[in-house]
C-alpha cells in the first residue's frame, strides 16, 4: 500500500511532465465502509452502525468511470471521474491513485469512502413567526444502489396548513441506464403536487445527446397575498409537460443546440390570477455554450471538498408561444438570453449572471423580464472568509398575476413569512463565515455573522419610493462529518429585525442560506421570469 500511495504522489503531480496519456492495466475498486477501525471517529458502536448501511455496490462506481482496463487515458478524464463520483453524493471522500508498472503503464485504484446515508429524524424548524415539526426518513443510497428515497410527514403552522406528506424517489441511472428518474408527490389539505422527470442528462463531458420529458400535475388551492398582508385561498388546477432534445459539440468549450416543446393547461378560478403563459404551448430553440475549469476547495460553504467551477456560460433563445385550443392562452414570439462569468484569483471569487427576456407581438413587448445574480467571497485565511449574495428581479409589461415574497425563507431573516409581496424583488446577504475545524466526534462547528437587506415592489411603483428592510444577527452551523451532502448541515440563526426594532426569532433550518460560488451548468430551454412564490 505504501508503494501505491508513493506512486500516487509521483503520478498525479507529474502526469503532465512525462506523458499526456497513461496506459491503464488494471482497475481496482476499494469502497470503504462509513466507519473503519483506523478512522478518528471509530467508537464502540461503529460496527453496529455499519450494519445499518449497505455499502455502495461496485457497479455504481464502475458506471461513473471514464477510463477502463487495458486502455489509455489522461489527467482530464481522471479529474473528471473524481468530480463525477463526488457529485453522486454517495461518498464522503474520493481518491484515484496509481501504481506504476513501468513503461508508462499503471494500475489504477479507485478509493471511495461511503457516507452515512440513512437519516431518520424528527425535524423541527422555526423562523418568520412560524414553525414546523414532524417525522422524516431520508435514505440517499437505498440498498447500496445510489437510489434516493424520502418519506416525510410535517405539521406546518404557516397558513394553518397542518399536516403535509411528501414521498420522493430518485435514481441518476435507473436500471443502470443513462436515464435519470425522479418522482415526487407532495400533499396537504389545500393542494397536491406530482412531479415526474425521466430524461438522459449530460452525464459527462463526452455525452453528446440529452433528451427526455418533465411533467407536473397540481390541484387544490393556492395562497394569494395582498399588500395589506391579507391572504386568500383560491382553487386551481394545472398540468404541464415538457419534452426536449439537445446536441452538444466539443469537450471543454462546449456548444449546445437545444429544442423543447412545452404545453400548459391551467384553471386559476379567476382571470385576475392567470399566470404568464397559462394555457399556452411553447416551441423553444436555444443555442448555448459553457467553458469552465474546476478547483477543489474546502471551508467555503462546508468542511468537505467542493468542486468550484471557474469560467462562463451563455445562451440565446428564440421561440413561439401559442394558445391551446380556444382557451385564454398567449400568442407571442419570444426572445431571451442569459450570460454568466466567474473569476477567482488571490482568494477573491466573483460570479455574475445577467438574464433578459421578453415576449412580443407586432413590436409590442409583453412579459419583459430582467434579473441579475451576483455571488462572491473574499478569503482572509483558511478558516475565515466574507461571503455575499445579491439578487435583483424586475418585470415590465407583465399583465399576468405575479407574486414574489420577501421573508425568512427567501433570505430576509427575522421577518414574518408571507408578510411582504410584490412583482419585483431585491435581496442581498453578507456573511462572515468562520471554520475553526474543531470536530466533536462526527460533528464539526462553524460560525456566522450576517446582515440581510431587501425590498419588494409592484410595477406601478418606482424603486426609489419603496421601503427597504434589513436584519442583522449571528448563527452557528452543525456539520455532519460523515456526509458531504449540504442537507446534513443544521443552520441555526439568531436574527434582529432592524425595521420593527425587535428580536426576529431563532431560525432553524438546513444548508447554508446561500452558496458563496455559482455553477456554470447546462440549462434546458425555458421562458424566464415565471417563478411565483405560492407558499
Amino acid at each position: 500500500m505504501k508503494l501505491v500511495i508513493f506512486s500516487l504522489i509521483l503520478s498525479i503531480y507529474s502526469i503532465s511532465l512525462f506523458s499526456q496519456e497513461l496506459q491503464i492495466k488494471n482497475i481496482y475498486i476499494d469502497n470503504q465502509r462509513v466507519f473503519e477501525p483506523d478512522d478518528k471517529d471509530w467508537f464502540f458502536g461503529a460496527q453496529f452502525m455499519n450494519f445499518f448501511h449497505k455499502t455502495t455496490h461496485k457497479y455504481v462506481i464502475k458506471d461513473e468511470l471514464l477510463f477502463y482496463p487495458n486502455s489509455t487515458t489522461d489527467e482530464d478524464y481522471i479529474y473528471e471521474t473524481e468530480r463525477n463520483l463526488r457529485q453522486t453524493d454517495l461518498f464522503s471522500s474520493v481518491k484515484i491513485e496509481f501504481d506504476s508498472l513501468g513503461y508508462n503503464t499503471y494500475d489504477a485504484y479507485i478509493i471511495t469512502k461511503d457516507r452515512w446515508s440513512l437519516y431518520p429524524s424528527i425535524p423541527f424548524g422555526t423562523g418568520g413567526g412560524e414553525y414546523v415539526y414532524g417525522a422524516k426518513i431520508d435514505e440517499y443510497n437505498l440498498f447500496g444502489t445510489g437510489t434516493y428515497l424520502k418519506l416525510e410527514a410535517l405539521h406546518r403552522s404557516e397558513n394553518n396548513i397542518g399536516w403535509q406528506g411528501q414521498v420522493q424517489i430518485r435514481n441518476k441511472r435507473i436500471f443502470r441506464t443513462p436515464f435519470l428518474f425522479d418522482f415526487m408527490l407532495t400533499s396537504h389539505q389545500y393542494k397536491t403536487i406530482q412531479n415526474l422527470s425521466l430524461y438522459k442528462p449530460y452525464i459527462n463531458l463526452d455525452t453528446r445527446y440529452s433528451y427526455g420529458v418533465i411533467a407536473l400535475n397540481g390541484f387544490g388551492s393556492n395562497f394569494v397575498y395582498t399588500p395589506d398582508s391579507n391572504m386568500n385561498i383560491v382553487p386551481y388546477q394545472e398540468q404541464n409537460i415538457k419534452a426536449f432534445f439537445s446536441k452538444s459539440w466539443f469537450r471543454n468549450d462546449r456548444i449546445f443546440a437545444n429544442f423543447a416543446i412545452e404545453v400548459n393547461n391551467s384553471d386559476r378560478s379567476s382571470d385576475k390570477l392567470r399566470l404568464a403563459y397559462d394555457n399556452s404551448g411553447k416551441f423553444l430553440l436555444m443555442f448555448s455554450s459553457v467553458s469552465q475549469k474546476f478547483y477543489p476547495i474546502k471551508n467555503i460553504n462546508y468542511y468537505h471538498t467542493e468542486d468550484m467551477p471557474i469560467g462562463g456560460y451563455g445562451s440565446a433563445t428564440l421561440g413561439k408561444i401559442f394558445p391551446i385550443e380556444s382557451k385564454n392562452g398567449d400568442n407571442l414570439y419570444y426572445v431571451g438570453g442569459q450570460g454568466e462569468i466567474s473569476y477567482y484569483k488571490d482568494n477573491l471569487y466573483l460570479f455574475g449572471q445577467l438574464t433578459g427576456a421578453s415576449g412580443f407581438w407586432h413590436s409590442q413587448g409583453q412579459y419583459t423580464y430582467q434579473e441579475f445574480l451576483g455571488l462572491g467571497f473574499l478569503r482572509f485565511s483558511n478558516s475565515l472568509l466574507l461571503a455575499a449574495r445579491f439578487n435583483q428581479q424586475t418585470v415590465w409589461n407583465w399583465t399576468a398575476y405575479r407574486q414574489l415574497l420577501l421573508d425568512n425563507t427567501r433570505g430576509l431573516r427575522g421577518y414574518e413569512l408571507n408578510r411582504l409581496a410584490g412583482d419585483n424583488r431585491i435581496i442581498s446577504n453578507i456573511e462572515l463565515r468562520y471554520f475553526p475545524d474543531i470536530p466533536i466526534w462526527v460533528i464539526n462547528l462553524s460560525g456566522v455573522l450576517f446582515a440581510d437587506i431587501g425590498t419588494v415592489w409592484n410595477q406601478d411603483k418606482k424603486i426609489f419610493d419603496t421601503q427597504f428592510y434589513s436584519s442583522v444577527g449571528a448563527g452557528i452551523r452543525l456539520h455532519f462529518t460523515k456526509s458531504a451532502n449540504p442537507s446534513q448541515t443544521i443552520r441555526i440563526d439568531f436574527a434582529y429585525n432592524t425595521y420593527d426594532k425587535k428580536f426576529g426569532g431563532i431560525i432553524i433550518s438546513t444548508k447554508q442560506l446561500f452558496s458563496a460560488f455559482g455553477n456554470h451548468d447546462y440549462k434546458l430551454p425555458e421562458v424566464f421570469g415565471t417563478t411565483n412564490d405560492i407558499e
Side-chain angles (χ1 to χ4, degrees):
M1 191 62 184
K2 291 182 179 179
L3 175 62
V4 175
I5 296 174
F6 178 73
S7 299
L8 165 70
I9 296 173
L10 262 140
S11 58
I12 286 293
Y13 290 99
S14 306
I15 286 173
S16 58
L17 295 179
F18 60 83
S19 177
Q20 291 299 313
E21 289 191 338
L22 297 174
Q23 179 69 39
I24 304 300
K25 181 65 174 177
N26 301 295
I27 297 178
Y28 300 97
I29 295 176
D30 179 11
N31 188 19
Q32 300 174 0
R33 298 172 300 175
V34 176
F35 292 97
E36 296 286 354
D38 57 351
D39 290 347
K40 292 181 180 179
D41 50 21
W42 176 269
F43 71 113
F44 68 91
Q47 192 65 37
F48 179 75
M49 297 288 287
N50 281 336
F51 177 79
F52 287 97
H53 174 84
K54 174 63 176 176
T55 305
T56 304
H57 288 289
K58 289 187 178 181
Y59 76 77
V60 176
I61 300 172
K62 289 180 181 179
D63 287 345
E64 299 298 330
L65 300 185
L66 300 178
F67 52 91
Y68 311 96
N70 301 310
S71 66
T72 58
T73 190
D74 59 34
E75 61 180 345
D76 287 343
Y77 285 98
I78 294 166
Y79 294 147
E80 186 184 355
T81 298
E82 282 191 341
R83 290 195 304 270
N84 291 348
L85 285 169
R86 280 195 290 267
Q87 289 172 1
T88 63
D89 292 330
L90 302 177
F91 311 106
S92 58
S93 67
V94 175
K95 293 184 294 183
I96 299 180
E97 301 181 349
F98 297 91
D99 183 13
S100 175
L101 303 177
Y103 303 104
N104 198 35
T105 302
Y106 298 84
D107 282 344
Y109 293 79
I110 316 299
I111 304 172
T112 61
K113 186 171 181 59
D114 265 26
R115 68 175 180 86
W116 184 255
S117 61
L118 177 62
Y119 294 92
S121 61
I122 302 176
F124 175 78
T126 65
E130 304 292 347
Y131 63 86
V132 61
Y133 64 84
K136 181 171 69 166
I137 295 177
D138 288 294
E139 171 55 69
Y140 291 86
N141 195 2
L142 187 65
F143 305 129
T145 63
T147 301
Y148 171 70
L149 175 66
K150 176 181 180 180
L151 302 173
E152 181 182 72
L154 294 179
H155 189 278
R156 300 172 56 190
S157 68
E158 178 187 356
N159 296 330
N160 295 315
I161 286 174
W163 284 103
Q164 170 183 292
Q166 187 174 93
V167 178
Q168 183 179 7
I169 184 168
R170 180 180 67 244
N171 190 293
K172 295 181 179 180
R173 291 179 180 266
I174 188 70
F175 305 126
R176 297 193 68 184
T177 69
F179 283 87
L180 180 149
F181 172 82
D182 191 351
F183 174 76
M184 183 169 64
L185 169 65
T186 305
S187 184
H188 55 67
Q189 65 169 319
Y190 293 109
K191 71 166 63 173
T192 296
I193 301 175
Q194 302 158 332
N195 293 279
L196 174 66
S197 299
L198 181 63
Y199 61 89
K200 179 180 180 291
Y202 284 112
I203 297 174
N204 55 62
L205 296 180
D206 283 334
T207 305
R208 289 291 169 255
Y209 296 96
S210 175
Y211 49 86
V213 294
I214 299 173
L216 173 146
N217 179 47
F219 56 90
S221 298
N222 275 328
F223 303 109
V224 178
Y225 306 98
T226 59
D228 56 3
S229 299
N230 289 328
M231 185 267 292
N232 298 307
I233 300 174
V234 182
Y236 91 107
Q237 64 84 22
E238 179 179 16
Q239 293 83 40
N240 197 87
I241 185 168
K242 173 188 283 189
F244 67 92
F245 177 85
S246 176
K247 172 74 170 70
S248 74
W249 291 267
F250 310 118
R251 175 173 170 81
N252 294 318
D253 298 327
R254 305 188 76 187
I255 296 175
F256 305 90
N258 316 274
F259 172 78
I261 181 170
E262 185 174 353
V263 177
N264 177 275
N265 177 56
S266 300
D267 183 355
R268 309 285 178 184
S269 300
S270 170
D271 288 341
K272 293 182 178 180
L273 300 177
R274 178 186 178 277
L275 301 184
Y277 309 111
D278 269 358
N279 297 310
S280 301
K282 310 178 186 73
F283 286 114
L284 300 175
L285 178 64
M286 182 179 81
F287 297 94
S288 58
S289 64
V290 61
S291 176
Q292 57 189 335
K293 295 181 178 180
F294 294 89
Y295 294 81
I297 199 164
K298 301 173 71 171
N299 296 3
I300 299 298
N301 300 307
Y302 308 97
Y303 279 104
H304 64 261
T305 299
E306 298 179 272
D307 295 298
M308 182 176 69
I310 303 298
Y313 168 86
S315 70
T317 303
L318 298 174
K320 179 67 175 73
I321 315 297
F322 57 93
I324 300 297
E325 297 179 350
S326 60
K327 294 187 176 182
N328 186 25
D330 292 302
N331 187 16
L332 300 166
Y333 293 100
Y334 177 83
V335 61
Q338 187 175 74
E340 299 173 353
I341 191 168
S342 57
Y343 168 88
Y344 181 58
K345 185 177 182 181
D346 298 331
N347 293 319
L348 174 65
Y349 170 87
L350 296 171
F351 171 93
Q353 179 194 84
L354 183 62
T355 304
S358 183
F360 60 93
W361 184 256
H362 298 302
S363 74
Q364 180 66 40
Q366 189 171 354
Y367 305 136
T368 306
Y369 177 75
Q370 181 269 321
E371 178 179 4
F372 175 77
L373 172 65
L375 299 168
F377 66 80
L378 176 61
R379 201 167 192 170
F380 303 112
S381 68
N382 189 52
S383 59
L384 184 67
L385 75 147
L386 188 68
R389 175 182 69 170
F390 178 83
N391 185 218
Q392 164 263 322
Q393 299 164 274
T394 309
V395 296
W396 299 271
N397 308 316
W398 202 277
T399 55
Y401 178 75
R402 179 174 170 83
Q403 178 174 274
L404 296 181
L405 300 174
L406 183 65
D407 54 22
N408 170 73
T409 303
R410 281 84 187 177
L412 187 61
R413 285 165 282 199
Y415 285 75
E416 297 175 12
L417 292 185
N418 313 319
R419 170 182 170 182
L420 305 169
D423 298 325
N424 306 315
R425 178 171 60 198
I426 289 177
I427 181 68
S428 180
N429 312 99
I430 299 175
E431 293 189 346
L432 184 66
R433 298 177 178 177
Y434 179 54
F435 294 85
D437 196 15
I438 307 175
I440 304 172
W441 189 37
V442 294
I443 298 295
N444 211 339
L445 302 177
S446 68
V448 169
L449 298 176
F450 66 83
D452 305 330
I453 185 170
T455 185
V456 287
W457 73 101
N458 289 323
Q459 299 173 70
D460 57 359
K461 192 174 183 180
K462 295 182 179 179
I463 186 174
F464 302 105
D465 298 328
T466 189
Q467 174 68 52
F468 277 81
Y469 304 86
S470 62
S471 63
V472 295
I476 59 174
R477 310 290 183 258
L478 308 179
H479 305 267
F480 183 44
T481 60
K482 287 297 182 181
S483 173
N485 190 315
S487 296
Q488 306 313 319
T489 292
I490 303 300
R491 173 166 59 93
I492 305 174
D493 287 325
F494 303 86
Y496 178 76
N497 181 324
T498 60
Y499 179 78
D500 297 316
K501 295 181 172 56
K502 67 177 184 179
F503 177 59
I506 302 174
I507 300 136
I508 303 175
S509 188
T510 58
K511 303 181 183 180
Q512 294 281 14
L513 179 67
F514 64 94
S515 172
F517 59 83
N519 290 307
H520 303 295
D521 292 329
Y522 163 77
K523 301 177 181 63
L524 292 176
E526 63 174 312
V527 291
F528 294 108
T530 57
T531 300
N532 274 270
D533 298 329
I534 304 301
E535 57 182 84

